[in-house]
Amino acid sequence: MNVSNDIRELLYAEDQQDLERQRKRRAPPAACPPISITNVLPPKPSSSYPAVPATGSAELVASRPVTPLQIPEPLDTAVERYTSWLCSRFRSVAIQLEYQKAGNLTLAERFDLELVYKQ
């Protein structure tokens, strides 16, 4: 096949550019600095402060009173009244809405104040 030298050079130049583009895509970026990861453990509690037991631990559960709550009204009414009381302690509407959500969830899950108290 007879191809003029000018066209042949253009084809070679185009192939060369394609190869360079492919190399650039494969090469990792040179500007990324190395990542350094340092693991640090929290400080050990000093002897002057007692360690706080984790929630649900035997120490924490044993320290709660076992006597049942005396709730003299329907349990769902008690949850509603307690939720209202909690909301009344805050001026922030956002906080009141969050307490209202918690009260609604308590009722939706069929919890009462006795179950909430035990948790």
Side-chain angles (χ1 to χ4, degrees), residues 36-62:
S36 173
I37 299 174
T38 305
N39 291 327
V40 178
L41 295 174
K44 292 183 180 181
S46 66
S47 59
S48 61
Y49 295 105
V52 177
T55 302
S57 72
E59 291 176 45
L60 186 59
V61 173

Side-chain angles (χ1 to χ4, degrees), residues 62-78:
S63 67
R64 287 192 175 164
V66 181
T67 57
L69 294 175
Q70 300 298 320
I71 302 173
E73 60 191 343
L75 298 179
D76 56 342
T77 303

